[in-house]
Amino acid sequence: MAKTSKIKRIGILTGGGDCPGLNAVIRGVTKPAQDFGMSVLGILDGFEGLVEGRAKELANADVSGILARGGTILGSSNKGDPFHWPELKDDNTIEIVDRSNSALKNYLAWNLDALIAIGGDGTMHICKKLGEMGMNMVGVPKTIDNDLEATDLTFGHDSAVYVVAEALDRLHTTASSHHRVIVVEVMGRYAGWIALNGGLAGGADIILIPEIPFSWEKVYEKILKRELMGKKFSLVCVSEGARSIDGQMIVKGSDIKRHDPTQLGGIGEVVARRIEENTQRETRVTVLGHVQRGGSPTPFDRILSTKFGYFAIDLAARKKFGRMVALKGNEIKNVLIEDAISHQKLVKLDNQNVIAAKGVGISFGE
Ligand code: F6P
């Protein structure tokens, strides 16, 4: 039976850094739309398209065959915050201005009854503010970092963990053949979920995450202890945001066009150099970078994204605005967007994955 609703037209956009599963969400929203009596407008390049008025209609045929495709058919941007808009001046300087009125103008001009925004922490902050301006917002939690509160998981994280685990599997064989230490730098700005879960799945010997500042001595000690046990190689999985007890996060650059201007990267190289200097063991470094964000979603992420998409349009149909779909246990629930951004979801020391990792002998450099 057709599900009708007074909500007739919804917009959808993908904000922030891309990740596997975005297309599966777009499909999960668009395919059932007809049943809900709705048309779907795909807004291009995240909030940039909302401010600049760039969008295209999405019909069933447009989302056919995209379930397993990485990236986003709509394009994304992490520089299009309407409240923090980088405007290029005549003298080539950039001024940060508020363009939220243009966003509202386009929302009204497109006759949208609701807007589904798929994104992470930054996107949800923007959603909350657009909601306060009168837009009917529904959020879908995305980020490989998994640092969004009020949902057990964000989609994209499982796919990133899969990439890290596979890389560690491959590095295991070469590290053991050459009796080397290999340091793998993974994404994760302020939250260490990717390093923790990827490292656990890939059998890393040392996991370094932002939440647990590490001691250099403990890192060297673990590598040398393994040698005494006959293990002449070690794998270190380090978050880009990790730091030693006496050190700082390694910052690669800064981009004022972004809400969080800090660009991280380089800790892998620092850790590798220090290990080599202090243990005299040959050490190599692999930086996984955007490989973790690209490519096809895992089956888990395809299912989660499809469910998030379907329940997001269902939420819009029921006029539950200002809310975000969320995974709680095995069920899709919905939560207030402000609860999702109340604080960042960081790894806690009593997390069972941390406990189990320590139990099987993985060191966190403590
Ligand atoms: O927030 C997701 C994330 O993948 C972070 O882990 C990483 O620091 C950042 O995006 C990289 O962003 P960019 O694509 O702009 O380099």
Side-chain angles (χ1 to χ4, degrees):
M1 201 173 58
K3 308 165 189 112
T4 50
S5 143
K6 291 212 178 84
I7 304 297
K8 295 283 175 213
R9 186 158 169 76
I10 51 163
I12 182 167
L13 63 79
T14 51
D18 72 337
C19 86
L22 285 167
N23 285 326
V25 178
I26 297 168
R27 175 179 173 273
V29 167
T30 308
K31 283 211 164 193
Q34 208 177 356
D35 261 5
F36 280 101
M38 293 185 200
S39 64
V40 181
L41 184 74
I43 296 162
L44 303 179
D45 300 330
F47 290 105
E48 255 182 50
L50 183 64
V51 169
E52 294 175 342
R54 294 184 288 112
K56 65 176 182 195
E57 298 296 327
L58 286 181
N60 216 306
D62 298 309
V63 297
S64 181
I66 65 167
L67 174 62
R69 200 191 302 169
T72 159
I73 59 164
L74 294 176
S76 194
S77 169
N78 40 27
K79 296 178 185 142
D81 181 345
F83 302 91
H84 185 95
W85 184 264
E87 199 149 85
L88 189 63
K89 297 280 149 197
D90 291 342
D91 62 357
N92 254 351
T93 56
I94 288 167
E95 194 187 332
I96 301 299
V97 296
D98 184 346
R99 291 285 305 275
S100 53
N101 275 334
S102 308
L104 181 60
K105 214 171 88 196
N106 287 321
Y107 174 90
L108 295 172
W110 285 325
N111 280 319
L112 296 181
D113 296 314
L115 175 56
I116 296 178
I118 311 166
D121 185 58
T123 298
M124 295 309 143
H125 272 96
I126 297 169
C127 275
K128 182 169 178 285
K129 291 201 243 170
L130 293 177
E132 284 158 4
M133 291 177 74
M135 295 190 207
N136 294 329
M137 304 300 297
V138 169
V140 178
K142 164 239 69 163
T143 163
I144 62 167
D145 290 5
N146 193 36
D147 58 353
L148 210 51
E149 197 43 66
T151 181
D152 289 354
L153 267 179
T154 53
F155 76 86
H157 178 65
D158 186 65
S159 302
V161 166
Y162 181 86
V163 172
V164 174
E166 209 213 346
L168 284 168
D169 287 348
R170 289 175 183 275
L171 293 169
H172 241 113
T173 60
T174 172
S176 84
S177 306
H178 284 269
H179 313 305
R180 281 172 171 160
V181 178
I182 298 190
V183 178
V184 185
E185 179 183 312
V186 304
M187 282 185 171
R189 297 168 71 74
Y190 308 109
W193 296 107
I194 299 178
L196 171 63
N197 294 331
L200 196 51
D205 306 298
I206 301 173
I207 295 175
L208 304 176
I209 60 176
E211 294 89 337
I212 308 179
F214 60 90
S215 140
W216 289 109
E217 292 309 320
K218 295 286 177 193
V219 171
Y220 312 146
E221 199 178 284
K222 172 73 185 175
I223 291 165
L224 298 173
K225 262 193 189 158
R226 274 176 56 77
E227 243 184 53
L228 290 177
M229 288 158 53
K231 306 273 185 149
K232 294 190 177 158
F233 71 95
S234 287
L235 288 173
V236 184
C237 185
V238 55
S239 290
E240 60 183 353
R243 63 181 177 87
S244 65
I245 293 165
D246 51 356
Q248 303 284 332
M249 280 195 322
I250 309 290
V251 175
K252 194 168 61 180
S254 174
D255 183 352
I256 62 150
K257 292 184 195 151
R258 299 164 61 142
H259 197 66
D260 179 353
T262 312
Q263 289 174 306
L264 300 177
I267 182 74
E269 194 60 56
V270 173
V271 170
R273 206 179 51 234
R274 291 277 293 250
I275 289 174
E276 194 161 79
E277 278 169 13
N278 289 280
T279 64
Q280 281 74 51
R281 302 300 180 270
E282 198 175 30
T283 306
R284 296 286 187 265
V285 59
T286 297
V287 180
L288 291 182
H290 291 80
V291 170
Q292 296 158 95
R293 292 231 306 251
S296 194
T298 56
F300 179 88
D301 271 337
R302 294 179 201 187
I303 295 168
L304 182 60
S305 301
T306 301
K307 283 160 73 178
F308 274 163
Y310 176 80
F311 285 102
I313 191 168
D314 179 65
L315 214 51
R318 291 191 286 122
K319 299 186 181 170
K320 298 261 189 181
F321 304 126
R323 304 191 74 85
M324 182 186 87
V325 287
L327 182 72
K328 301 272 187 188
N330 272 328
E331 302 249 308
I332 306 295
K333 304 276 188 193
N334 61 82
V335 297
L336 284 172
I337 287 176
E338 58 215 58
D339 288 345
I341 53 176
S342 57
H343 59 277
Q344 231 169 1
K345 187 175 69 187
L346 301 178
V347 176
K348 296 204 177 90
L349 294 188
D350 62 355
N351 178 280
Q352 288 196 338
N353 291 14
V354 174
I355 294 171
K358 287 183 183 171
V360 296
I362 296 172
S363 163
F364 287 82
E366 291 167 284

